[in-house]
Structures are given as structure tokens and as C-alpha cells.
Amino acid sequence: MTSVPTFVALERLGPVLRTGEAAAALRTSVSSASRMLRGLEANGLAHNVRSGVWSMGPDRPDPFVIAPELTRPHLAYVSFESALNFHAMIDQIPREISGASLDRAHRVVTSVGTFAIHHVPPTLFGGWQETRRGHVAGPEKAIFDLCYASATYRGRTRRIPELELPAGFDPQLVEEWAKRVESPRVRTLTRRAIEYAMSRAVPR
């Protein structure tokens, strides 16, 4: 199969795929699919994100789109400082792309950047928005996630930058997420971190 038909067949699977998925779609072995994908990459039609993970198309893949693919079959969404920067709530561009997931906490180094995956329990998983770049935590949930991570990291306050709150920001939504924290100790620490974050926040 030549490059263009191979690309057309694989592009239908979505912007990001696994080598095994490519093999199934092309009805070939994983090793053959891997060779075909490397051929597409040589022709500028694919990018190897990490071992076994590929993005389709000539453009450099968006890290926000890549993030949920790194935790499959567990769900994930972009949050923490990455989401705050997306919503223009902080000026700093994070060095890592941070995501919240039902998967275990870990870091993943890829060709498009380093990803910090933070575990959140099912009761605290959610609060993202559908954006042009995929699932991204809303402003309130991004602040909560950051403060919750601060509370669960050995009780030490994680650095929380100065924030610009967008129009329509609802502090009550942050508190609603805090109410879901099961541990009384962690809930108290989370609320303490939220109070600190809000004390450093100004309306846009």
C-alpha cells in the first residue's frame, strides 16, 4: 500500500492512533504497520509521538490533543497550570503539559513535550470543557485541581501563581468541588489552598 492510500485509511481513525490500531485498520501485522507509519513520517504525513503512539497529518500535533491519548484506556483532561494558561488566567507558559486522569500519577516524555499526569479519584474527575484543543478543565476546576494537588502532596502548599479571573468566574463552583473531597483533612487543606489562591486573584 502506497503512502497516500495508507494515510487516507489511517486518518479516518482520528488525529492520534496506536500502532496496533493501525495494524487492525490495515489488516496487517504490527511490525508491518510500524514500517508503514515510519514511511508516512518520512513523507511528512505522520509524527511519532512516543513508542507506539502516532499523530496523523503534516502539522505538529497539539500537545493538548495528545494528553488524553497517553493515559488510555483511562480518561484524562488538561488541567492545572496548563488549563490556567489556556484560559489566559496566568501569563506563564508551563514547561510541562499537566493533565488530570483516573490513571496513576506519572510523567511521560514525548516528541511534543513532557506530560505530567496527576491522579484524581472518580468523585473528583470532571469539570472539563469541550474546546478547539480537546478536553480542558474550566477555570474553576483548574483552580480546584491545582489546590487539591497541593493538599495531597504531603500537605505542602504547591506554588500557586497570581490569577486573573475571567468574566463569569464562579467561586461557588470551586467550593462545590471541594465538598466532594472525602478526607476531612485533605478537604481542609484543599480549602486552605483555595483561600490562598483566591487571595492572589484579580478580576480581568
Side-chain angles (χ1 to χ4, degrees):
M1 188 178 287
T2 60
S3 292
V4 173
T6 301
F7 173 74
V8 172
L10 296 182
E11 189 183 30
R12 298 193 188 105
L13 300 180
V16 183
L17 53 82
R18 306 293 177 99
T19 306
E21 294 168 340
L26 300 173
R27 296 183 180 180
T28 187
S29 66
V30 172
S31 59
S32 293
S34 181
R35 285 194 297 272
M36 291 179 184
L37 285 163
R38 286 197 296 270
L40 290 177
E41 184 176 38
N43 289 316
L45 295 175
H47 296 268
N48 184 212
V49 175
R50 65 173 303 208
S51 178
V53 180
W54 300 80
S55 71
M56 304 306 298
D59 298 329
R60 185 176 186 274
D62 184 341
F64 278 35
V65 175
I66 296 295
E69 300 297 328
L70 301 177
T71 64
R72 282 203 285 158
H74 302 284
L75 299 175
Y77 58 91
V78 173
S79 189
F80 306 94
E81 292 92 345
S82 298
L84 294 175
N85 178 262
F86 173 83
H87 292 296
M89 297 171 68
I90 59 174
D91 293 329
Q92 305 95 319
I93 299 176
R95 289 178 293 179
E96 299 178 333
I97 301 91
S98 296
S101 177
L102 298 175
D103 196 6
R104 62 182 176 81
H106 62 290
R107 272 181 169 73
V108 184
V109 178
T110 75
S111 63
V112 297
T114 300
F115 294 78
I117 306 300
H118 302 264
H119 171 78
V120 295
T123 53
L124 300 178
F125 187 82
W128 66 74
Q129 301 174 346
E130 291 280 0
T131 77
R132 69 185 187 282
R133 301 182 65 187
H135 292 165
V136 181
E140 295 86 356
K141 187 55 176 5
I143 289 179
F144 169 80
D145 285 344
L146 192 64
C147 293
Y148 175 75
S150 172
T152 55
Y153 186 66
R154 299 178 183 176
R156 294 203 297 267
T157 301
R158 178 169 171 156
R159 182 180 178 277
I160 298 176
E162 294 182 1
L163 303 169
E164 289 189 24
L165 303 181
F169 182 87
D170 186 357
Q172 186 57 36
L173 288 180
V174 186
E175 171 58 22
E176 289 302 317
W177 282 106
K179 289 179 181 178
R180 298 190 185 191
V181 179
E182 294 182 356
S183 165
R185 175 181 173 277
V186 175
R187 191 185 316 123
T188 296
L189 292 172
T190 300
R191 282 178 168 146
R192 190 176 300 165
I194 291 170
E195 290 176 6
Y196 173 69
M198 299 308 295
S199 74
R200 295 168 56 78
V202 296
R204 188 177 302 159

